[in-house]
Amino acid sequence: MKRTKLSPETLEKLKRYASVALVSAGVVSFVAAMLFFSAYPDAPFPDYWKKLFTYVQYVLLSICTIPIGCVFVFFTMKAVESTTLRTAAHRLGLTINQRMLLKNAAHINPNLLEFLYAVLRAYNETLHLPLGQDASALIPNGYCPVARAGCVFYRYQLVLPEAPEMDKRSFHQIIQEYIWAELGNHGIAGLNASFPSKTQGRLPSVFLDKVWYDGEQHLLNFELLYICTEDASQYAMQAFQKRKPKTKPNQEVFDDEI
């Protein structure tokens, strides 16, 4: 059987547990002796030693039990910490974080929904989308905020029999430009049109993170990010930089290659 070698940190912790156990046992022994002498100050000699032996048994039992219990608790916590406890704590932290992020989502969503519908309606001569009579056409499956990467994304959907004729990249870019143009010209009702980021400067408050077509369900999906925190502004800028087309450096041409 292969022996498991304990790390220096583990050995140091065991030494500390042993020290605590010995000190605890000493305290228990002192308390037991004090209780014994206070309870039997004038006991006869044979009874004296008989009762003292009983107290000594209790003390020895405590001396043996405390270190064993400490070691057992140590290894149990070590095992739990590395598996179940760590996973449970991580899940609890994510749940609390998501609830905090989604706290204001119900207030932001109606304004953002109306804004997106107004943008699509204003430029529908170019987009040719079946928008219906009002903004409810963008929530066929109801209100759907998504928390990820420390931000809240608002997902809207439009029933569309076929995918847009424009390619995905161009369609995404043109919708984003329409959104920014509407923010600059008319703002957004009930929300700020821009966000003053400490690191990125002043940014438009609405960022189109993703747009895709689900052919099985015939849904055109939009995921919008309302920028109202530093985390959201950093996410938007990083995503925007990644989408920029990479320019290829000009290849040098030498005389012998002509």
Side-chain angles (χ1 to χ4, degrees):
M1 180 182 293
K2 185 179 180 180
R3 292 186 177 182
T4 302
K5 187 177 181 181
L6 298 178
S7 64
E9 293 80 5
T10 303
L11 290 174
E12 184 64 27
K13 289 183 180 179
L14 285 175
K15 289 180 181 179
R16 291 179 183 177
Y17 276 116
S19 300
V20 172
L22 290 175
V23 172
S24 302
V27 172
V28 172
S29 301
F30 177 76
V31 172
M34 293 296 295
L35 289 174
F36 175 78
F37 288 118
S38 62
Y40 305 100
D42 300 321
F45 186 78
D47 293 340
Y48 181 91
W49 285 105
K50 182 178 180 180
K51 295 180 183 299
L52 179 60
F53 180 73
T54 303
Y55 272 77
V56 169
Q57 284 182 319
Y58 293 151
V59 172
L60 290 175
L61 181 62
S62 67
I63 293 175
C64 296
T65 303
I66 292 176
I68 294 174
C70 289
V71 172
F72 175 76
V73 170
F74 172 78
F75 282 107
T76 302
M77 290 300 295
K78 197 72 176 175
V80 171
E81 179 186 0
S82 61
T83 54
T84 308
L85 183 62
R86 185 175 299 174
T87 303
H90 182 66
R91 290 179 60 188
L92 179 61
L94 286 176
T95 301
I96 294 174
N97 184 51
Q98 287 187 355
R99 288 182 179 179
M100 293 178 63
L101 288 173
L102 295 172
K103 187 176 181 180
N104 296 320
H107 303 286
I108 295 173
N109 175 69
N111 297 309
L112 201 58
L113 171 64
E114 292 291 342
F115 173 75
L116 178 61
Y117 181 79
V119 170
L120 298 179
R121 172 66 69 183
Y123 296 95
N124 204 32
E125 290 184 1
T126 304
L127 298 173
H128 306 294
L129 298 175
L131 294 177
Q133 299 299 320
D134 53 39
S136 62
L138 296 176
I139 48 172
N141 295 320
Y143 167 60
C144 184
V146 179
R148 69 172 189 273
C151 306
V152 178
F153 300 86
Y154 300 83
R155 182 175 298 174
Y156 304 109
Q157 300 171 314
L158 179 66
V159 177
L160 198 62
E162 296 180 355
E165 296 180 358
M166 205 177 303
D167 65 272
K168 183 178 178 180
R169 179 183 290 273
S170 300
F171 188 75
H172 184 285
Q173 183 177 356
I174 195 172
I175 296 294
Q176 181 67 84
E177 290 176 355
Y178 289 159
I179 288 174
W180 286 341
E182 192 70 13
L183 285 173
N185 294 331
H186 305 290
I188 175 172
L191 299 173
N192 293 320
S194 62
F195 175 74
S197 172
K198 296 178 181 179
T199 57
Q200 312 296 336
R202 186 167 290 276
L203 301 175
S205 62
V206 182
F207 177 72
L208 180 61
D209 186 49
K210 292 193 294 184
V211 58
W212 74 97
Y213 180 73
D214 187 341
E216 293 184 358
Q217 300 184 14
H218 302 287
L219 291 175
L220 180 61
N221 295 269
F222 303 88
E223 271 196 9
L224 268 62
L225 171 65
Y226 177 63
I227 302 175
C228 57
T229 64
E230 287 294 333
D231 288 340
S233 67
Q234 291 180 9
Y235 178 93
M237 284 301 298
Q238 290 174 1
F240 179 73
Q241 293 297 331
K242 289 179 181 178
R243 293 195 189 117
K244 277 187 175 181
K246 296 180 181 180
T247 56
K248 296 182 179 180
N250 295 328
Q251 187 177 0
E252 296 183 5
V253 179
F254 298 96
D255 294 339
D256 58 353
E257 295 178 350
I258 300 176

